Amino acid sequence: MAALPSLRQLSYLVTLSETLHFTEAARRSFVTQSTLSGGIMELERLLGGVLVERDRQNVRLTPLGEQVVARARVLLADAQDLMRLSREMSEPLTGDLHLGIIPTIAPFILAQLLDEVHKQLPKIQLHLHEAQSEKIVERLEHGNLDMIVLALPFDTRGLKVAEIEKENLFLVCHKADPIAMKANSLDQLDLSRLMLLEEGHCLRDHTLSACPIGERKNDHRLKASSLPTLVEMVSANLGFTLLPEIALHTNMIKANPDLVVKPIEAAPNRTLALVTRKSTPLQSEFDVLLQILQKITKKA
């Protein structure tokens, strides 16, 4: 039987693909540069092809190297799940759980989430990671996160998805904005005053999906890096925005008497979801966490 690549060799290649720098990849792998280089050279010998092109200035993957990295990430994630499965069988509902959450959900559920996890999963050490949807989906696929909370529609690429709650987006405007105050539907709004989050936030995409404006026309529109900043911009009467229902019962809205929240006809909606890998060994944790999230996001 021919020798097979080792998980260690594959992990060296994946790390190098992320850094494109041998010294940094070796540092992250806790080995010497010669050990990492040797491991990758042996991997190339076993696979019978060049995976990495090297010169004095640059390191880059070959087309074969890119394909091997994609498959290696799946194998490494499955190997991590296999190790976790063994512990889960002997000590269920214990240990570390890495949960990713997008920024347009995280601030509104974290306090209750941490409290409920402490009560219902007392032997679980919850580690929270906040990032935009594409980033946390990628980290979940690579095995760096155990589960993620995001908003659909979004491409979950064959991962396991469970619905938490559906919610509408609401118009939030300044009380001195006469057009927005009178509007009952999106087509009655002056969409040149619609303010959005920066590119990369799925809430931006959910809003644009229902508003008849193009990205090119929207290039010079005011954009915010976070929901609190977006609310401050509306508070300054720079325009209006659409916010998810989960954000409406917070002090950033309630404490500002100049803001008006209105339901709007044909407004977009989104679905909050808990997502994990289909190979996860943490099915019990997934089920409990789903129940907790459904409880804390349940509409009054």
Side-chain angles (χ1 to χ4, degrees):
M1 181 177 176
L4 296 175
S6 70
L7 292 175
R8 185 177 298 277
Q9 291 165 347
L10 293 173
S11 71
Y12 290 164
L13 181 64
V14 168
T15 304
L16 182 62
S17 75
E18 294 169 350
T19 62
L20 295 179
H21 194 283
F22 275 89
T23 301
E24 177 61 18
R27 186 189 68 80
R28 291 191 188 185
S29 301
F30 303 101
V31 296
T32 64
Q33 183 174 334
S34 61
T35 297
L36 183 130
S37 297
I40 291 176
M41 290 175 64
E42 177 63 14
L43 182 60
E44 290 178 319
R45 187 189 68 77
L46 289 171
L47 296 178
V50 177
L51 304 176
V52 181
E53 294 180 351
R54 319 157 175 84
D55 58 37
R56 290 185 178 180
Q57 283 78 37
N58 298 298
V59 174
R60 52 188 166 274
L61 296 179
T62 65
L64 174 61
E66 291 176 351
Q67 291 190 46
V68 172
V69 165
R71 297 193 178 208
R73 282 177 169 146
V74 175
L75 289 170
L76 292 168
D78 285 347
Q80 288 179 8
D81 285 345
L82 184 63
M83 294 295 292
R84 189 71 181 268
L85 176 62
S86 175
R87 197 191 74 193
E88 191 69 14
M89 293 293 288
S90 60
E91 297 181 84
L93 302 178
T94 62
D96 296 329
L97 194 159
H98 291 266
L99 178 68
I101 312 181
I102 60 174
T104 57
I105 297 176
F108 314 115
I109 67 170
L110 285 186
Q112 290 177 282
L113 176 62
L114 290 170
D115 185 53
E116 289 293 330
V117 168
H118 179 70
K119 291 176 183 176
Q120 298 188 41
L121 296 167
K123 295 183 179 180
I124 287 288
Q125 182 65 44
L126 186 62
H127 302 270
L128 297 169
H129 308 262
E130 185 178 318
Q132 294 177 3
S133 300
E134 182 62 37
K135 185 65 176 177
I136 60 172
V137 167
E138 182 180 280
R139 293 184 67 190
L140 177 63
E141 289 178 317
H142 296 173
N144 303 124
L145 295 175
D146 297 308
M147 303 170 199
I148 60 175
V149 179
L150 47 65
L152 308 176
F154 190 83
D155 182 9
T156 52
R157 307 198 276 263
L159 294 164
K160 178 178 179 177
V161 179
E163 180 179 315
I164 298 169
E165 182 68 87
K166 283 189 171 70
E167 63 174 5
N168 292 322
L169 303 190
F170 284 73
L171 173 65
V172 179
C173 64
H174 195 281
K175 66 182 182 181
D177 185 338
I179 296 177
M181 287 293 292
K182 292 178 182 179
N184 295 311
S185 63
L186 291 172
D187 58 12
Q188 295 174 353
L189 291 164
D190 176 8
L191 294 179
S192 67
R193 286 174 53 78
L194 172 62
M195 295 187 299
L196 302 164
L197 290 173
E198 294 174 337
E199 292 181 16
H201 290 277
C202 59
L203 180 61
R204 172 191 177 87
D205 298 328
H206 297 158
T207 300
L208 288 174
S209 69
C211 296
I213 55 177
E215 281 293 289
R216 180 177 299 179
K217 186 177 179 179
N218 188 53
D219 282 346
H220 303 293
R221 192 180 307 275
L222 288 171
K223 304 177 185 71
S225 59
S226 67
L227 285 183
T229 302
L230 196 58
V231 170
E232 286 299 315
M233 291 161 64
V234 177
S235 180
N237 200 16
L238 298 176
F240 64 89
T241 194
L242 298 177
L243 290 186
E245 199 166 350
I246 199 172
L248 301 182
H249 308 295
T250 61
N251 283 336
M252 71 177 183
I253 302 294
K254 290 181 176 180
N256 195 324
D258 292 328
L259 296 180
V260 175
V261 177
K262 297 176 56 178
I264 197 89
E265 292 178 13
N269 57 57
R270 67 179 191 171
T271 300
L272 309 186
L274 181 63
V275 183
T276 190
R277 296 182 298 280
K278 289 183 178 179
S279 63
T280 182
L282 306 180
Q283 185 59 53
S284 297
E285 287 87 342
F286 184 85
D287 293 340
V288 175
L289 195 59
L290 179 61
Q291 292 175 3
I292 290 173
L293 289 164
Q294 289 172 334
K295 173 184 176 182
I296 65 180
T297 59
K298 186 177 178 63
K299 298 184 180 74

